[in-house]
Each structure stands twice: as structure tokens, then as C-alpha cells.
Amino acid sequence: MSAARFRQAAQESVSGLPRAFWWLWTSTLVNRLGAFVATFMTLYLTSDRGYSASFAGLVVALHGLGGVMSSLVAGVLTDRLGRRPTLLAAQASTAFSVALLGFMEHPAAIAAAALLVGMTSNASRPAVAAMMADIVRPEDRVRAFALNYWAINLGFGVSAAAAGLIAEYSYLAGFLGEAVLTLACAVLVFVKLPESRPEGGPTGAGKGTGADPAIGLGTVLRDGRFMGVVGLSFLISLIFTQGSVGLPVAMGAAGFSPGDYGLVVAVNGFLIVLLQIPVTAFIEHRDPQKLLVISALLAGYGFALTAFAGPLWAYALTVCVWTLAEIVNSPTQMGLVVRLSPVHGRGRYQGVYNLSWAVASLVAPLMAGFVIDRYGADRLWAATGVLGTVAAAGYWLLMRRLPEGEAGVTVAAGSPRTDGAEVAGEAQVDAKPAAAPATGVA
């Protein structure tokens, strides 16, 4: 893509969106600028507090468990209480719990506080997604979700580099800094964002009409091909999560400082910010089977190359490899998910798909801690290569006989329900979807 075309694409991406969206976008950016806990939890516990990699993995897993526990509850509150009060409560409680975690010293207290941080920080996601779907026109949602993902990674890239330097001075300062920025987000939401919940509220879950038959979770779980995608997504998630779990432990054991890790992992966010738009434009009309196979191999072997990294630049080079895999895999896999999802069941299908990332956030830290403590970091990187190979083979087999245009591929993003009310928070993208949850991001 030429520089002129890139500038044109950038201009088209930001034009015509409502002011409320940009305030929500700003709150996302500010929130991610303070993402200290998710990035440095493992390094804090092992390098600063002296705990084992297994204990650090357990604590990070509890943080992920908190997210799984709160996601369904937060979704219900978003529809029943409204987007704005749910978002305010989530951000205010996140600020409190993050500050609390910084002062905890007993292992049990640290674990409990990490669980609380996971619950509160994840609770804002359904409200943000629903509010974005409420305030943005259906035809603009593709780029709105993409811009939000861009803000997440821009904030992550800046915060990873800055927080690494802060961690060398004081981890407590990092915790308190995140608490302050999160509280600033709550104030911004309170001052600038009105409630956006559609009048009348949602209809009962599972109720359908002749044109819109009921879709329950059992329907999703019995969809063998779709559950195959969920399983492969879980394998890919196990690999990508090692960027925030296994990589800091390995670099710390190799003698690198928190600032070194922050600079290396910041490469991930910056590359996504720089390359997501042009790479997505390049791959959007290419064979998804080949793209998913290639991205799985790049992810697995990109992390596997970490076993051979010595100087800091070599670690940064491995991040470049698996970041390219993330950039290719995320929109391609999201397109496949939409393709396999019935129009009237997209919310539940997307919920089950996102669950693969949530479960991976529980398993990956435990896996990393156990393997590093028992066998060493090199075995962990070898395991990522194996997982990438298995995922690549799975994508190739799964998509061999996938009919063109199956399920909901031709339906426009954010299609209205048959009763005229739009499904807040369930609108998904068809042509150029925002990327799926990434390495400790989103």
C-alpha cells in the first residue's frame, strides 16, 4: 500500500463518527496507558517479591479467572442497569482494587487481590462494546471497533515502555499510577458520556420468531465445526498469552531488567498500530485457509525462536515474528467466526468464541509456571512450536470443505433485529473485523 493510499485509508477510518464515540475511544486509550498490572504482574511477583514462577502463574491465572467470573454478570448488568452505571462501577472498583493489590504482602492476600482486579477490570468490556454499538451507525461499526482496537494497542505500547522504567524505580508507583488513570476514565465517562441503552430494553434471551428462531448455548456447543474453531482459537491463545506470562519470566532469568522487557514487549503494540491497517487491506481478499495456517505457524515458531534469543535485539526480533502472526490471524479468524455464525445467534456464538481466550488466560499462566519451574524456559518455547503446528494442521483440516458463503457471511454488520431494536453489544463485523483479544491486550 502506497503512502497516499495509507493516508486516504486513515482519513476514511476516522471521519463521520459521533462525538460520543471519540470520548469513549479516549477513555479506552487512557485506560490502556495505565495497563501496569496485566503487563508486569509476573515480573513483579518473581523479580521484586521473590516468588516462584509457579506461584506467579497461579496469581495471573486467578486474575484471568476473575475476568471469566465477571463477564457474564457484567453483561447482564449492562442490559439491566445500563451501560454508563456499569462502566462507572467497573472503573471505580478497578481503581480501588489495583491500588489495594500494590499494598498486599501476604501470598494469600496477593492472590485474592489479583482475583478482584481481574473481576473488576474485565467488567467494563461488555458495557464498552454495548455503548459503542448503541452510539455508532451500523455501517460505521467496522471501523469503530477497529479504531478502538487501535487505541488499545497504542496505549499498550506506550504503557509497556513507560511502565518498565517506572517498575525499575517502584512497582508500587506503577500500581498507583494505573489506579489514578483508571479513576480518570471513570470521571471522563461520568462527565462526557450519556446513557446509551435503547429504550424498552432487550427481549428475553432465547425467544425467537419464525424469521428469527431461538438460539441457545446448547445450539452453539453442538455446532461441531464452530467448536473446532473455538478449540483452535484456544491453542492460538495459549501461544500469544506467553508474551505476558512466559516471556517476562524468561527474560528476568536471563538477567534483563523490567525496563528491557517493557521495551521488547512494546514492539508488539507499536507494530500493530503501524501495520494493522495496511496488512488487513493486503490480506482481506486472500484465501483464509492459507492465512490461518501461516499465522499459526508464525505464532508457534515466533515464540519458539525465543529459546535462541541472546541479546535484547534478538528478543525484539522474535516479537516482530509473532506480532505479524497476530495481525494476520485476528481479522481472518474473526471473519471465519462471523461466517459460521447464524445472524440471529451471533451474540452467543461470539460469546463462546471469546470464552476460548478467557480460558486460555487461566491455563497459560499455569502451563508456563509449571513448565519453566520443572523443565526450563526452552521447553516452554518448544511447546509453543508444537501448539502452532497442531493449530496450523487443524485450520487446514477444518477449512478443506467449508462451503463458500456459509451461515451469515453475506449479512451486513450490525443487522437490526426483526423487531427493529438493535442488539446492543452483539454487533459483529463482516468485512474487516476488529481483531480478537490479543497478547494481554483487549
Side-chain angles (χ1 to χ4, degrees), residues 19-43:
R19 179 178 298 180
F21 164 79
W22 290 111
W23 285 117
L24 189 60
W25 182 91
T26 301
S27 73
T28 298
L29 178 62
V30 173
N31 188 61
R32 292 308 300 171
L33 286 172
F36 183 85
V37 172
T39 307
F40 284 90
M41 174 71 80
T42 303
L43 206 55

Side-chain angles (χ1 to χ4, degrees), residues 223 226 334-350 406-409 411 428:
D223 189 336
F226 178 79
M334 285 294 288
L336 177 61
V337 169
V338 172
R339 183 175 175 181
L340 295 175
S341 304
V343 175
H344 45 271
R346 281 181 178 172
R348 292 172 182 83
Y349 271 70
Q350 290 288 341
E406 184 166 322
V409 68
V411 179
Q428 301 299 331

Side-chain angles (χ1 to χ4, degrees), residues 20 23-24 26-28 83-92 127-128 131 181-196:
W23 285 117
L24 189 60
T26 301
S27 73
T28 298
R83 287 79 161 109
R84 186 169 178 262
T86 303
L87 192 52
L88 282 170
Q91 290 178 337
V128 170
M131 183 173 281
L181 286 172
T182 306
L183 193 59
C185 287
V187 173
L188 183 63
V189 168
F190 178 77
V191 173
K192 293 294 185 180
L193 288 174
E195 176 56 55
S196 65

Side-chain angles (χ1 to χ4, degrees), residues 79-418:
D79 285 333
R80 290 188 176 180
L81 299 181
R83 287 79 161 109
R84 186 169 178 262
T86 303
L87 192 52
L88 282 170
Q91 290 178 337
S93 56
T94 298
F96 169 78
S97 60
V98 167
L100 181 67
L101 177 60
F103 290 101
M104 295 296 100
E105 296 185 358
H106 192 278
I110 291 174
L115 177 67
L116 181 61
V117 171
M119 292 176 64
T120 56
S121 61
N122 193 70
S124 63
R125 292 182 180 180
V128 170
M131 183 173 281
M132 198 170 297
D134 294 339
I135 63 182
V136 176
R137 295 178 302 177
E139 61 268 28
D140 291 332
R141 286 179 185 155
V142 170
R143 55 197 178 97
F145 280 108
L147 285 167
N148 194 63
Y149 182 71
W150 187 87
I152 288 170
N153 283 282
L154 177 62
F156 169 73
V158 174
S159 69
L165 299 176
I166 293 172
E168 292 187 8
Y169 167 73
S170 168
Y171 277 94
L172 179 59
F175 286 114
L176 295 179
E178 177 171 349
V180 169
L181 286 172
T182 306
L183 193 59
C185 287
V187 173
L188 183 63
V189 168
F190 178 77
V191 173
K192 293 294 185 180
L193 288 174
E195 176 56 55
S196 65
R197 182 176 57 169
E199 293 295 329
T203 58
K207 294 179 182 179
T209 65
D212 185 18
I215 294 288
L217 285 177
T219 308
V220 184
L221 297 176
R222 289 191 296 270
D223 189 336
R225 178 169 284 164
F226 178 79
M227 292 307 298
V229 174
V230 173
L232 294 172
S233 171
F234 171 72
L235 296 182
I236 292 295
S237 304
L238 285 179
I239 298 172
F240 283 134
T241 307
Q242 298 309 322
S244 59
V245 178
L247 184 60
V249 174
M251 291 186 66
F256 291 101
S257 69
D260 293 330
Y261 167 69
L263 290 174
V264 166
V265 78
V267 172
N268 172 256
F270 283 125
L271 282 180
I272 291 175
V273 170
L274 290 174
L275 299 180
Q276 186 72 65
I277 293 175
V279 170
T280 301
F282 176 75
I283 67 175
E284 84 177 296
H285 298 302
R286 299 182 185 274
D287 184 358
Q289 182 191 50
K290 293 179 180 178
L291 292 173
L292 289 170
V293 169
I294 292 171
S295 64
L297 293 174
L298 283 175
Y301 290 100
F303 275 98
L305 287 173
T306 310
F308 304 99
L312 194 65
W313 65 263
Y315 283 95
L317 186 60
T318 65
V319 173
C320 292
V321 176
W322 55 259
T323 297
L324 180 59
E326 181 181 345
I327 291 171
V328 173
N329 180 272
S330 294
T332 308
Q333 184 162 256
M334 285 294 288
L336 177 61
V337 169
V338 172
R339 183 175 175 181
L340 295 175
S341 304
V343 175
H344 45 271
R346 281 181 178 172
R348 292 172 182 83
Y349 271 70
Q350 290 288 341
V352 173
Y353 167 70
N354 289 327
L355 191 61
S356 66
W357 290 85
V359 174
S361 72
L362 299 180
V363 176
L366 299 175
M367 165 186 156
F370 175 79
V371 173
I372 290 175
D373 281 347
R374 235 5 179 358
Y375 305 106
D378 287 353
R379 293 289 183 90
L380 176 65
W381 306 130
T384 62
V386 173
L387 289 174
T389 303
V390 172
Y395 282 124
W396 182 77
L397 291 171
L398 183 75
M399 299 185 68
R400 279 191 307 169
R401 297 184 179 88
L402 185 64
E404 193 67 29
E406 184 166 322
V409 68
T410 60
V411 179
S415 298
R417 286 179 25 193
T418 53

